[in-house]
Amino acid sequence: MLLILSLLTGHFHQILLFTFLIFVHELGHFLTAFYLGWKTVAIHIYPYGGCCEFQQELNVCLWQEWLVLIMGPLVQLVVVFLLSFMTSPSDYSLCLQYSNWLLFFNLLPIYPLDGGKLLLLLNQHFFSFYSSYRFIFTLSYFLVFTALLSCLFFSFHLLLFLSLFLLMIKLYQEIERFPVYYQKFLFERYLTRFPFHKHKQISSLRQMKRDTYHYFLQNGTIISEYEYLKWFFDS
């Protein structure tokens, strides 16, 4: 709400400060991804947040994704701490307020916020690629819909409502794209022999996990992951 009032009253200092914090946050993601050799397609900065778009394999090591995700909030915290020595107490108080709001919102367990992505990665350590995404999509829809209703009927804040509404649109777009993600996940496993150390026997594609090589049990016969995917794509 404060940012909307800033636009209306011409207090651009607040807007620049909030945008700077978003940029710093995304810079943390970008620099870490660059160090790991990921290709960055674009960095989007919006009035309510931002995101980095990477062109990277879906079967990249889970620890790399963990590192890229946590470095956004971590770099933001470090920069805000350094600003305490470089700005006036009033400016730093405002900076801290905006930073805390940005961290709180961004770490909500709603996909595609960082909090939702972190929860997705945690699930992918234990569950399949397909079921992990289905779980996070279901949970995210429930949480964002509940938050929208709470904002409407209990404590209305225009900025929060707009952020949640745009987040729901983004979530819907991600769900619509999921079949493409899933096909890409499978096709990468067909084209590339990833050096996974873990092995697991399964019976269907939807049970496939990241960081794990699979053997398929079909009619009493054990089939390698490559042979099963070759049959799947050829058919």
Side-chain angles (χ1 to χ4, degrees):
M1 187 62 180
L2 182 59
L3 293 179
I4 300 298
L5 292 175
S6 299
L7 281 171
L8 295 175
T9 58
H11 295 164
F12 299 108
H13 174 68
Q14 291 91 332
I15 301 170
L16 289 175
L17 178 58
F18 193 73
T19 304
F20 170 74
L21 290 174
I22 295 171
F23 173 77
V24 166
H25 184 105
E26 297 307 319
L27 189 64
H29 293 313
F30 166 74
L31 292 177
T32 309
F34 179 79
Y35 174 78
L36 293 173
W38 293 19
K39 181 179 180 181
T40 304
V41 177
I43 301 177
H44 304 284
I45 304 294
Y46 308 111
Y48 54 87
C51 70
C52 288
E53 186 179 346
F54 301 111
Q55 184 177 333
Q56 186 59 32
E57 293 175 331
L58 294 177
N59 287 281
V60 68
C61 293
L62 287 169
W63 69 266
Q64 290 191 16
E65 282 200 42
W66 277 109
L67 191 60
V68 171
L69 281 172
I70 64 175
M71 285 304 292
L74 185 59
V75 169
Q76 178 185 330
L77 287 172
V78 171
V79 170
V80 169
F81 173 74
L82 293 176
L83 286 175
S84 66
F85 303 100
M86 304 164 58
T87 59
S88 65
S90 60
D91 283 344
Y92 180 69
S93 177
L94 187 63
C95 177
L96 191 61
Q97 177 186 343
Y98 286 172
S99 178
N100 290 340
W101 188 92
L102 183 61
L103 283 174
F104 170 78
F105 186 79
N106 188 59
L107 292 176
L108 290 173
I110 299 173
Y111 193 86
L113 298 177
D114 285 352
K117 290 180 178 179
L118 287 170
L119 183 57
L120 173 66
L121 283 181
L122 180 62
N123 273 272
Q124 288 180 342
H125 276 283
F126 304 101
F127 305 105
S128 71
F129 181 88
Y130 185 90
S131 62
S132 295
Y133 266 97
R134 287 302 175 188
F135 169 79
I136 199 64
F137 286 154
T138 303
L139 177 65
S140 297
Y141 247 130
F142 172 77
L143 291 177
V144 75
F145 186 72
T146 302
L148 278 170
L149 290 179
S150 300
C151 187
L152 274 174
F153 296 108
F154 297 103
S155 180
F156 183 77
H157 295 280
L158 181 58
L159 177 61
L160 179 60
F161 179 81
L162 291 175
S163 299
L164 289 169
F165 182 74
L166 292 171
L167 180 58
M168 177 169 274
I169 293 175
K170 182 65 175 175
L171 174 60
Y172 174 79
Q173 292 172 341
E174 291 295 318
I175 292 174
E176 289 292 299
R177 295 191 188 108
F178 177 67
V180 178
Y181 294 157
Y182 182 55
Q183 288 294 315
K184 182 183 178 184
F185 167 76
L186 296 176
F187 202 56
E188 284 178 5
R189 299 289 283 263
Y190 171 59
L191 292 179
T192 307
R193 304 296 180 90
F194 294 97
F196 299 138
H197 298 295
K198 293 184 291 185
H199 296 77
K200 185 177 181 180
Q201 182 177 299
I202 57 177
S203 57
S204 70
L205 291 174
R206 291 188 178 184
Q207 294 177 306
M208 288 183 66
K209 295 177 59 178
R210 294 180 58 176
D211 279 353
T212 303
Y213 185 84
H214 301 92
Y215 294 96
F216 290 82
L217 179 62
Q218 295 291 305
N219 300 321
T221 303
I222 301 296
I223 306 173
S224 71
E225 181 177 294
Y226 173 77
E227 292 173 328
Y228 193 87
L229 288 172
K230 184 177 186 302
W231 168 82
F232 173 75
F233 284 111
D234 286 347
S235 61

